[in-house]
Amino acid sequence: MTIAANLERVRAEIRAACARVHRDPAEVTLVAVSKTHPPEAVLEAVAAGVQHFGENRVEESEFKIPAVMQQVNVPLTWHMIGHVQSRKAKQVTPLFQVVQSVDSVKLAEKLSRLMQEQGRSLDVLLEMNVSGEASKEGFDASSWDTDDGVRARLWAEVGPILALPGLNVRGLMTMAPIVPEAEAARPVFRALAALRGALADSFGVSLADLSMGMTDDYPVAIEEGATIVRVGRAIFGERIS
Ligand SMILES: *Cc1c(COP(=O)(O)O)cnc(C)c1O
């Protein structure tokens, strides 16, 4: 299968998922996750009309993003989707237009300060660990709706981030646990959507974006309100290690 053919299939799945829940496919942004794949693969996806790409490692991005950008004459939007150590924030802001993986107040403050120094602002998502898996990055948001302590801590972290002048907090991101059936991830997506609603109400902000859903489960995520899906293997094939 070529990348172009894979993209056709993914786009058809996105349209079908939207149709099932009466959503407009234009509400769903496809981020092609190109991690481990070479610039040539990204260029193939660009030729097939992809504008949004996701990467999860700073070192890989420092080589790949400039290599791609030298060869395209269309604007692309690069999304950082992996954990960023605060000390690497400085390397991230020149390369990425969106950081989906803001997972601490410290990182948020660092990014905001860097952007302010340049008189710019950065689009970010706050990564939430709604499944409670210890291996997942993100703010602890498991049982936020039943545990007052978790909720209070989470609210106390999110509030100050929303007020940072250098960040435009567009919404929330999560990773579902790896499950045998996509359907089993549905409660996680539903929980992220509910959390977005609660935070938006509390703080009087819109948090319009929900980034959720990967190769194994993006149709279910779309049914639950995803506005951004992050799809790697279904587009580029298995990751190159
Ligand atoms: C790798 C990755 C993806 C894409 O995963 P696939 O299963 O290849 O679609 C999405 N989101 C994040 C955060 C990732 O690290």
Side-chain angles (χ1 to χ4, degrees), residues 159-172:
I161 295 177
L162 293 173
L164 289 172
L167 301 186
N168 171 27
V169 183
R170 282 175 29 187
L172 307 181

Side-chain angles (χ1 to χ4, degrees), residues 1-239:
M1 275 301 215
T2 64
I3 287 172
N6 289 342
L7 275 163
E8 286 277 312
R9 261 206 329 263
V10 170
R11 288 179 177 129
E13 290 263 9
I14 291 173
R15 284 194 300 273
C18 285
R20 287 196 291 280
V21 292
H22 311 290
R23 293 186 62 195
D24 179 350
E27 290 172 15
V28 179
T29 298
L30 172 62
V31 173
V33 177
S34 47
K35 66 188 186 198
T36 79
H37 297 283
E40 293 70 31
V42 175
L43 293 169
E44 261 187 79
V46 172
V50 177
Q51 288 170 5
H52 294 264
F53 291 90
E55 287 287 335
N56 70 336
R57 286 166 171 272
V58 175
E59 293 75 12
E60 187 177 339
S61 310
E62 283 184 317
F63 137 80
K64 194 186 300 181
I65 295 177
V68 169
M69 296 314 282
Q70 270 176 10
Q71 297 185 66
V72 296
N73 48 20
V74 289
L76 301 180
T77 303
W78 291 90
H79 298 247
M80 171 47 89
I81 61 172
H83 176 63
V84 178
Q85 292 171 291
S86 303
R87 63 184 170 81
K88 292 202 180 153
K90 205 185 299 209
Q91 289 147 272
V92 165
T93 52
L95 292 169
F96 291 90
Q97 289 71 47
V98 184
V99 177
Q100 296 201 7
S101 45
V102 172
D103 57 6
S104 72
V105 175
K106 190 175 169 202
L107 174 62
E109 287 173 343
K110 188 89 182 276
L111 289 170
S112 175
R113 204 158 49 239
L114 287 164
M115 296 310 281
Q116 263 197 300
E117 284 166 12
Q118 303 164 35
R120 300 194 292 147
S121 67
L122 181 68
D123 285 344
V124 300
L125 304 180
L126 305 183
E127 181 171 357
M128 296 291 157
N129 178 354
V130 280
S131 67
E133 277 184 297
S135 60
K136 292 275 187 284
E137 309 286 352
F139 293 95
D140 176 14
S142 60
S143 59
W144 65 272
D145 52 345
T146 52
D147 185 325
D148 287 343
V150 170
R151 183 185 162 108
R153 256 197 316 278
L154 182 58
W155 260 240
E157 291 178 305
V158 171
I161 295 177
L162 293 173
L164 289 172
L167 301 186
N168 171 27
V169 183
R170 282 175 29 187
L172 307 181
M173 181 269 240
T174 202
M175 277 178 90
I178 307 218
V179 287
E181 293 273 320
E183 198 54 44
R186 190 181 297 275
V188 170
F189 300 142
R190 203 166 274 177
L192 190 72
L195 174 58
R196 182 265 300 274
L199 286 169
D201 280 354
S202 289
F203 292 105
V205 290
S206 83
L207 300 175
D209 280 310
L210 286 179
S211 175
M212 53 190 197
M214 324 196 327
T215 289
D216 290 329
D217 53 25
Y218 67 94
V220 174
I222 289 169
E223 289 173 12
E224 295 300 330
T227 64
I228 299 172
V229 291
R230 312 178 306 267
V231 179
R233 287 168 298 135
I235 295 171
F236 295 106
E238 288 304 317
R239 284 190 265 286

